[in-house]
Amino acid sequence: MTIEAIAVDIDGTITDEKRRICISAIEALRKAEAAGIPTIIVTGNVVNYAYATEVLIGCSGGIVCENGGVVFKEGENNNAVETLVERDFITSAENHLKEKLGEKFDIHASHDNMYRLTETVFYKTLPRSELEEALEDFEYLNELEIYDSGFALHVTNKSVNKGTSLRYLCERNGINMENVMAIGDSQNDEDFLKEAGYKIAVGNAEDKLKEISTYTCEKKFGDGVAEAIEKFAL
């Protein structure tokens, strides 16, 4: 087995249920980096959060964030963040939702939406059914995707996802997707696991993700990440 890169989600994968990064995951990812295997952070989070995670852990493969809407890698694209979809589309969806949800929009909208470049996000205090109902008469509904990250509901442009953007980043860096080990836990990780040659679900992953995975970790969260890296990459 040859692993050229590790692609890993943040929330619920390298972090626990309280969003604390597991020490075991940090140590394993650093060992992989020391062995010449770069880690790519693949997340639904905003770019500044993802970049901080990358730097603090010591990952070098770049980041895919906002569920594929944004990519970044130091030394590429003149060190500029690259957006892969237009913000105007999601802005129109936001305006529609503000009209339909009224005060519920402000109550349930994520506090980090002001930083998001390609999607809008709601806390799971808003039932998914209400969000879907509010979007039923949106003019471009068939171009939207709603992802449940386990922590929030993400309204995104379906023309991109974690998988398409991971492939884009890997191909321009000469990394064969068949030699990528992808690790995740929730619905919005399915797209990028499907693109990778080695599909890993941590022990706490949703059943659907486990079904498409080539290996399901015995351990949960970051301990599962460490288990997979030790077993297959090192």
Side-chain angles (χ1 to χ4, degrees):
M1 175 182 291
T2 300
I3 302 295
E4 289 185 51
I6 296 167
V8 65
D9 171 55
I10 297 179
D11 290 326
T13 302
I14 62 172
T15 68
D16 64 17
E17 65 272 19
K18 295 183 179 180
R19 300 187 77 185
R20 299 172 299 191
I21 295 181
C22 300
I23 300 300
S24 58
I26 294 174
E27 292 175 344
L29 291 168
R30 286 177 177 171
K31 285 181 182 179
E33 286 279 347
I37 303 171
T39 293
I40 302 167
I41 300 293
V42 186
T43 180
N45 283 292
V46 293
V47 64
N48 50 353
Y49 183 95
Y51 180 63
T53 302
E54 176 191 53
V55 171
L56 292 171
I57 294 175
C59 306
S60 65
I63 55 179
V64 172
C65 48
E66 295 194 24
N67 292 298
V70 179
V71 298
F72 174 76
K73 188 174 188 297
E74 288 189 90
E76 296 182 3
N77 195 40
N78 293 318
N79 281 325
V81 169
E82 186 174 0
T83 56
L84 301 184
V85 291
E86 295 295 328
R87 172 69 195 181
D88 290 350
F89 175 74
I90 287 298
T91 298
S92 65
E94 275 187 0
N95 291 335
H96 180 87
L97 287 167
K98 286 176 181 176
E99 180 181 344
K100 289 292 184 176
L101 293 172
E103 65 178 12
K104 285 186 177 181
F105 183 97
D106 292 328
I107 292 171
H108 300 291
S110 172
H111 68 278
D112 66 5
N113 275 338
M114 68 180 74
Y115 306 113
R116 289 187 180 271
L117 303 174
T118 63
E119 64 176 12
T120 189
V121 175
F122 295 87
Y123 298 117
K124 292 184 72 174
T125 50
L126 178 70
R128 180 172 180 147
S129 59
E130 286 192 37
L131 182 58
E132 291 174 335
E133 183 179 349
L135 286 167
E136 280 180 349
D137 58 347
F138 179 55
E139 184 178 3
Y140 306 106
L141 178 61
N142 64 338
E143 297 177 40
L144 288 179
E145 188 77 46
I146 299 175
Y147 285 112
D148 184 343
S149 66
F151 293 86
L153 299 172
H154 300 247
V155 181
T156 73
N157 187 323
K158 72 187 325 179
S159 66
V160 296
N161 56 54
K162 284 184 174 184
T164 59
S165 297
L166 174 63
R167 178 173 287 276
Y168 169 71
L169 185 60
C170 285
E171 286 182 348
R172 78 183 193 194
N173 282 279
I175 296 172
N176 185 343
M177 288 300 299
E178 289 302 310
N179 296 328
V180 173
M181 181 168 73
I183 313 174
D185 75 298
S186 63
Q187 174 202 348
N188 68 331
D189 298 325
E190 183 176 346
D191 292 319
F192 88 94
L193 261 68
K194 284 182 175 179
E195 290 285 344
Y198 304 99
K199 306 165 179 56
I200 309 295
V202 289
N204 55 289
E206 295 177 5
D207 289 341
K208 188 174 181 181
L209 202 69
K210 292 178 179 179
E211 289 171 6
I212 68 161
S213 295
T214 50
Y215 179 77
T216 297
C217 302
E218 295 182 8
K219 298 178 181 179
K220 299 179 179 180
F221 305 109
D223 291 336
V225 173
E227 174 189 335
I229 292 172
E230 295 286 349
K231 186 177 182 68
F232 298 113
L234 299 178

mmCIF file of all heavy atoms in Angstrom, residues 139-168:
data_model
loop_
_atom_site.group_PDB
_atom_site.id
_atom_site.type_symbol
_atom_site.label_atom_id
_atom_site.label_comp_id
_atom_site.label_asym_id
_atom_site.label_seq_id
_atom_site.Cartn_x
_atom_site.Cartn_y
_atom_site.Cartn_z
ATOM 1 N N GLU A 139 -35.903 29.793 -6.682
ATOM 2 C CA GLU A 139 -35.836 29.657 -8.138
ATOM 3 C C GLU A 139 -34.794 28.654 -8.598
ATOM 4 O O GLU A 139 -34.979 27.956 -9.600
ATOM 5 C CB GLU A 139 -35.556 31.026 -8.755
ATOM 6 C CG GLU A 139 -35.566 31.039 -10.271
ATOM 7 C CD GLU A 139 -35.336 32.416 -10.864
ATOM 8 O OE1 GLU A 139 -35.106 33.369 -10.070
ATOM 9 O OE2 GLU A 139 -35.395 32.539 -12.098
ATOM 10 N N TYR A 140 -33.674 28.572 -7.877
ATOM 11 C CA TYR A 140 -32.587 27.710 -8.304
ATOM 12 C C TYR A 140 -32.371 26.554 -7.322
ATOM 13 O O TYR A 140 -31.241 26.127 -7.086
ATOM 14 C CB TYR A 140 -31.297 28.529 -8.422
ATOM 15 C CG TYR A 140 -31.439 29.740 -9.313
ATOM 16 C CD1 TYR A 140 -31.504 31.023 -8.767
ATOM 17 C CD2 TYR A 140 -31.546 29.603 -10.697
ATOM 18 C CE1 TYR A 140 -31.651 32.139 -9.587
ATOM 19 C CE2 TYR A 140 -31.689 30.711 -11.518
ATOM 20 C CZ TYR A 140 -31.748 31.974 -10.960
ATOM 21 O OH TYR A 140 -31.892 33.074 -11.772
ATOM 22 N N LEU A 141 -33.461 26.020 -6.810
ATOM 23 C CA LEU A 141 -33.396 24.956 -5.812
ATOM 24 C C LEU A 141 -32.586 23.757 -6.300
ATOM 25 O O LEU A 141 -31.828 23.165 -5.537
ATOM 26 C CB LEU A 141 -34.806 24.499 -5.428
ATOM 27 C CG LEU A 141 -34.903 23.347 -4.429
ATOM 28 C CD1 LEU A 141 -34.260 23.732 -3.100
ATOM 29 C CD2 LEU A 141 -36.355 22.930 -4.231
ATOM 30 N N ASN A 142 -32.736 23.416 -7.576
ATOM 31 C CA ASN A 142 -32.048 22.225 -8.099
ATOM 32 C C ASN A 142 -30.539 22.403 -8.175
ATOM 33 O O ASN A 142 -29.802 21.446 -8.452
ATOM 34 C CB ASN A 142 -32.602 21.845 -9.477
ATOM 35 C CG ASN A 142 -32.352 22.915 -10.522
ATOM 36 O OD1 ASN A 142 -32.148 24.079 -10.198
ATOM 37 N ND2 ASN A 142 -32.394 22.527 -11.788
ATOM 38 N N GLU A 143 -30.043 23.614 -7.915
ATOM 39 C CA GLU A 143 -28.601 23.862 -7.918
ATOM 40 C C GLU A 143 -28.020 23.915 -6.509
ATOM 41 O O GLU A 143 -26.819 24.140 -6.343
ATOM 42 C CB GLU A 143 -28.299 25.169 -8.659
ATOM 43 C CG GLU A 143 -28.703 25.129 -10.127
ATOM 44 C CD GLU A 143 -28.454 26.451 -10.829
ATOM 45 O OE1 GLU A 143 -27.408 27.073 -10.550
ATOM 46 O OE2 GLU A 143 -29.306 26.867 -11.635
ATOM 47 N N LEU A 144 -28.878 23.697 -5.507
ATOM 48 C CA LEU A 144 -28.436 23.734 -4.110
ATOM 49 C C LEU A 144 -28.235 22.342 -3.553
ATOM 50 O O LEU A 144 -28.861 21.376 -3.975
ATOM 51 C CB LEU A 144 -29.470 24.453 -3.240
ATOM 52 C CG LEU A 144 -29.628 25.959 -3.361
ATOM 53 C CD1 LEU A 144 -30.734 26.426 -2.422
ATOM 54 C CD2 LEU A 144 -28.336 26.682 -3.053
ATOM 55 N N GLU A 145 -27.372 22.255 -2.559
ATOM 56 C CA GLU A 145 -27.164 21.030 -1.773
ATOM 57 C C GLU A 145 -27.180 21.421 -0.310
ATOM 58 O O GLU A 145 -26.625 22.462 0.074
ATOM 59 C CB GLU A 145 -25.832 20.392 -2.131
ATOM 60 C CG GLU A 145 -25.609 19.020 -1.514
ATOM 61 C CD GLU A 145 -26.379 17.937 -2.249
ATOM 62 O OE1 GLU A 145 -26.351 17.902 -3.483
ATOM 63 O OE2 GLU A 145 -26.999 17.111 -1.553
ATOM 64 N N ILE A 146 -27.848 20.620 0.526
ATOM 65 C CA ILE A 146 -27.823 20.834 1.973
ATOM 66 C C ILE A 146 -27.026 19.697 2.594
ATOM 67 O O ILE A 146 -27.378 18.528 2.441
ATOM 68 C CB ILE A 146 -29.230 20.885 2.582
ATOM 69 C CG1 ILE A 146 -30.035 22.046 1.991
ATOM 70 C CG2 ILE A 146 -29.149 21.041 4.108
ATOM 71 C CD1 ILE A 146 -31.486 22.083 2.456
ATOM 72 N N TYR A 147 -25.937 20.051 3.257
ATOM 73 C CA TYR A 147 -25.101 19.053 3.927
ATOM 74 C C TYR A 147 -25.294 19.157 5.437
ATOM 75 O O TYR A 147 -25.321 20.253 5.996
ATOM 76 C CB TYR A 147 -23.621 19.290 3.631
ATOM 77 C CG TYR A 147 -23.184 18.889 2.250
ATOM 78 C CD1 TYR A 147 -22.799 19.845 1.328
ATOM 79 C CD2 TYR A 147 -23.123 17.549 1.868
ATOM 80 C CE1 TYR A 147 -22.365 19.492 0.057
ATOM 81 C CE2 TYR A 147 -22.698 17.177 0.603
ATOM 82 C CZ TYR A 147 -22.322 18.161 -0.296
ATOM 83 O OH TYR A 147 -21.897 17.804 -1.541
ATOM 84 N N ASP A 148 -25.383 18.011 6.069
ATOM 85 C CA ASP A 148 -25.403 17.940 7.527
ATOM 86 C C ASP A 148 -24.021 17.483 7.968
ATOM 87 O O ASP A 148 -23.629 16.339 7.728
ATOM 88 C CB ASP A 148 -26.473 16.950 7.986
ATOM 89 C CG ASP A 148 -26.626 16.903 9.501
ATOM 90 O OD1 ASP A 148 -25.710 17.376 10.217
ATOM 91 O OD2 ASP A 148 -27.645 16.391 9.980
ATOM 92 N N SER A 149 -23.272 18.397 8.586
ATOM 93 C CA SER A 149 -21.905 18.067 9.007
ATOM 94 C C SER A 149 -21.871 17.373 10.364
ATOM 95 O O SER A 149 -20.810 16.998 10.853
ATOM 96 C CB SER A 149 -21.062 19.342 9.081
ATOM 97 O OG SER A 149 -21.528 20.190 10.111
ATOM 98 N N GLY A 150 -23.053 17.214 10.973
ATOM 99 C CA GLY A 150 -23.119 16.681 12.330
ATOM 100 C C GLY A 150 -23.174 17.791 13.355
ATOM 101 O O GLY A 150 -23.682 17.611 14.458
ATOM 102 N N PHE A 151 -22.651 18.965 12.980
ATOM 103 C CA PHE A 151 -22.637 20.124 13.871
ATOM 104 C C PHE A 151 -23.489 21.271 13.327
ATOM 105 O O PHE A 151 -23.907 22.147 14.070
ATOM 106 C CB PHE A 151 -21.209 20.628 14.084
ATOM 107 C CG PHE A 151 -20.340 19.669 14.841
ATOM 108 C CD1 PHE A 151 -19.667 18.647 14.193
ATOM 109 C CD2 PHE A 151 -20.210 19.767 16.217
ATOM 110 C CE1 PHE A 151 -18.873 17.750 14.891
ATOM 111 C CE2 PHE A 151 -19.422 18.877 16.934
ATOM 112 C CZ PHE A 151 -18.760 17.860 16.270
ATOM 113 N N ALA A 152 -23.741 21.267 12.000
ATOM 114 C CA ALA A 152 -24.477 22.361 11.377
ATOM 115 C C ALA A 152 -25.063 21.900 10.044
ATOM 116 O O ALA A 152 -24.721 20.832 9.520
ATOM 117 C CB ALA A 152 -23.554 23.562 11.163
ATOM 118 N N LEU A 153 -25.965 22.740 9.487
ATOM 119 C CA LEU A 153 -26.545 22.496 8.180
ATOM 120 C C LEU A 153 -25.960 23.515 7.205
ATOM 121 O O LEU A 153 -26.047 24.717 7.435
ATOM 122 C CB LEU A 153 -28.071 22.645 8.226
ATOM 123 C CG LEU A 153 -28.809 21.682 9.152
ATOM 124 C CD1 LEU A 153 -30.281 22.062 9.247
ATOM 125 C CD2 LEU A 153 -28.664 20.236 8.652
ATOM 126 N N HIS A 154 -25.361 23.024 6.131
ATOM 127 C CA HIS A 154 -24.662 23.877 5.174
ATOM 128 C C HIS A 154 -25.454 23.951 3.871
ATOM 129 O O HIS A 154 -25.738 22.911 3.263
ATOM 130 C CB HIS A 154 -23.278 23.312 4.875
ATOM 131 C CG HIS A 154 -22.384 23.203 6.055
ATOM 132 N ND1 HIS A 154 -21.241 23.960 6.194
ATOM 133 C CD2 HIS A 154 -22.449 22.411 7.167
ATOM 134 C CE1 HIS A 154 -20.644 23.653 7.335
ATOM 135 N NE2 HIS A 154 -21.351 22.709 7.943
ATOM 136 N N VAL A 155 -25.790 25.149 3.438
ATOM 137 C CA VAL A 155 -26.446 25.348 2.151
ATOM 138 C C VAL A 155 -25.364 25.731 1.152
ATOM 139 O O VAL A 155 -24.730 26.783 1.273
ATOM 140 C CB VAL A 155 -27.519 26.450 2.224
ATOM 141 C CG1 VAL A 155 -28.202 26.621 0.866
ATOM 142 C CG2 VAL A 155 -28.555 26.131 3.305
ATOM 143 N N THR A 156 -25.137 24.875 0.167
ATOM 144 C CA THR A 156 -24.016 25.049 -0.744
ATOM 145 C C THR A 156 -24.456 24.948 -2.204
ATOM 146 O O THR A 156 -25.565 24.502 -2.514
ATOM 147 C CB THR A 156 -22.926 23.979 -0.487
ATOM 148 O OG1 THR A 156 -23.404 22.718 -0.969
ATOM 149 C CG2 THR A 156 -22.609 23.864 0.981
ATOM 150 N N ASN A 157 -23.541 25.332 -3.073
ATOM 151 C CA ASN A 157 -23.730 25.167 -4.510
ATOM 152 C C ASN A 157 -23.325 23.744 -4.870
ATOM 153 O O ASN A 157 -22.189 23.345 -4.634
ATOM 154 C CB ASN A 157 -22.849 26.186 -5.253
ATOM 155 C CG ASN A 157 -23.104 26.201 -6.745
ATOM 156 O OD1 ASN A 157 -23.347 25.174 -7.368
ATOM 157 N ND2 ASN A 157 -23.031 27.382 -7.334
ATOM 158 N N LYS A 158 -24.237 22.975 -5.451
ATOM 159 C CA LYS A 158 -23.969 21.555 -5.683
ATOM 160 C C LYS A 158 -22.960 21.304 -6.806
ATOM 161 O O LYS A 158 -22.585 20.155 -7.057
ATOM 162 C CB LYS A 158 -25.265 20.796 -5.962
ATOM 163 C CG LYS A 158 -25.898 21.067 -7.298
ATOM 164 C CD LYS A 158 -27.267 20.432 -7.483
ATOM 165 C CE LYS A 158 -27.475 19.114 -6.847
ATOM 166 N NZ LYS A 158 -28.832 18.557 -7.040
ATOM 167 N N SER A 159 -22.497 22.354 -7.482
ATOM 168 C CA SER A 159 -21.523 22.157 -8.559
ATOM 169 C C SER A 159 -20.143 21.771 -8.024
ATOM 170 O O SER A 159 -19.293 21.303 -8.785
ATOM 171 C CB SER A 159 -21.408 23.419 -9.426
ATOM 172 O OG SER A 159 -20.859 24.496 -8.693
ATOM 173 N N VAL A 160 -19.915 21.996 -6.727
ATOM 174 C CA VAL A 160 -18.667 21.560 -6.104
ATOM 175 C C VAL A 160 -18.976 20.826 -4.807
ATOM 176 O O VAL A 160 -20.047 20.981 -4.230
ATOM 177 C CB VAL A 160 -17.708 22.736 -5.796
ATOM 178 C CG1 VAL A 160 -17.245 23.420 -7.064
ATOM 179 C CG2 VAL A 160 -18.349 23.728 -4.834
ATOM 180 N N ASN A 161 -18.033 20.012 -4.360
ATOM 181 C CA ASN A 161 -18.156 19.365 -3.064
ATOM 182 C C ASN A 161 -16.751 19.045 -2.568
ATOM 183 O O ASN A 161 -15.757 19.335 -3.236
ATOM 184 C CB ASN A 161 -19.040 18.107 -3.132
ATOM 185 C CG ASN A 161 -18.549 17.102 -4.159
ATOM 186 O OD1 ASN A 161 -17.387 16.678 -4.139
ATOM 187 N ND2 ASN A 161 -19.424 16.697 -5.086
ATOM 188 N N LYS A 162 -16.652 18.448 -1.415
ATOM 189 C CA LYS A 162 -15.333 18.117 -0.863
ATOM 190 C C LYS A 162 -14.528 17.216 -1.795
ATOM 191 O O LYS A 162 -13.306 17.326 -1.885
ATOM 192 C CB LYS A 162 -15.487 17.419 0.500
ATOM 193 C CG LYS A 162 -15.848 18.331 1.662
ATOM 194 C CD LYS A 162 -15.872 17.520 2.958
ATOM 195 C CE LYS A 162 -16.076 18.383 4.182
ATOM 196 N NZ LYS A 162 -16.007 17.595 5.430
ATOM 197 N N GLY A 163 -15.223 16.340 -2.495
ATOM 198 C CA GLY A 163 -14.534 15.399 -3.369
ATOM 199 C C GLY A 163 -13.972 16.046 -4.618
ATOM 200 O O GLY A 163 -12.813 15.817 -4.978
ATOM 201 N N THR A 164 -14.780 16.853 -5.311
ATOM 202 C CA THR A 164 -14.303 17.492 -6.540
ATOM 203 C C THR A 164 -13.148 18.439 -6.251
ATOM 204 O O THR A 164 -12.185 18.510 -7.017
ATOM 205 C CB THR A 164 -15.437 18.267 -7.238
ATOM 206 O OG1 THR A 164 -15.953 19.279 -6.357
ATOM 207 C CG2 THR A 164 -16.563 17.334 -7.653
ATOM 208 N N SER A 165 -13.230 19.151 -5.139
ATOM 209 C CA SER A 165 -12.175 20.116 -4.820
ATOM 210 C C SER A 165 -10.916 19.441 -4.296
ATOM 211 O O SER A 165 -9.804 19.923 -4.538
ATOM 212 C CB SER A 165 -12.706 21.147 -3.816
ATOM 213 O OG SER A 165 -13.765 21.879 -4.401
ATOM 214 N N LEU A 166 -11.068 18.319 -3.593
ATOM 215 C CA LEU A 166 -9.891 17.553 -3.180
ATOM 216 C C LEU A 166 -9.157 17.025 -4.411
ATOM 217 O O LEU A 166 -7.930 17.109 -4.503
ATOM 218 C CB LEU A 166 -10.292 16.395 -2.271
ATOM 219 C CG LEU A 166 -9.155 15.444 -1.883
ATOM 220 C CD1 LEU A 166 -8.079 16.167 -1.078
ATOM 221 C CD2 LEU A 166 -9.696 14.247 -1.099
ATOM 222 N N ARG A 167 -9.889 16.491 -5.360
ATOM 223 C CA ARG A 167 -9.273 15.994 -6.593
ATOM 224 C C ARG A 167 -8.561 17.130 -7.327
ATOM 225 O O ARG A 167 -7.439 16.952 -7.819
ATOM 226 C CB ARG A 167 -10.324 15.348 -7.506
ATOM 227 C CG ARG A 167 -9.759 14.844 -8.818
ATOM 228 C CD ARG A 167 -10.797 14.074 -9.617
ATOM 229 N NE ARG A 167 -11.054 12.767 -9.038
ATOM 230 C CZ ARG A 167 -10.326 11.689 -9.259
ATOM 231 N NH1 ARG A 167 -9.243 11.772 -10.046
ATOM 232 N NH2 ARG A 167 -10.637 10.537 -8.711
ATOM 233 N N TYR A 168 -9.191 18.281 -7.401
ATOM 234 C CA TYR A 168 -8.592 19.448 -8.056
ATOM 235 C C TYR A 168 -7.262 19.815 -7.402
ATOM 236 O O TYR A 168 -6.261 20.037 -8.085
ATOM 237 C CB TYR A 168 -9.586 20.612 -7.966
ATOM 238 C CG TYR A 168 -9.037 21.970 -8.351
ATOM 239 C CD1 TYR A 168 -8.738 22.276 -9.673
ATOM 240 C CD2 TYR A 168 -8.844 22.948 -7.385
ATOM 241 C CE1 TYR A 168 -8.250 23.533 -10.020
ATOM 242 C CE2 TYR A 168 -8.356 24.204 -7.719
ATOM 243 C CZ TYR A 168 -8.061 24.490 -9.048
ATOM 244 O OH TYR A 168 -7.571 25.722 -9.386
#
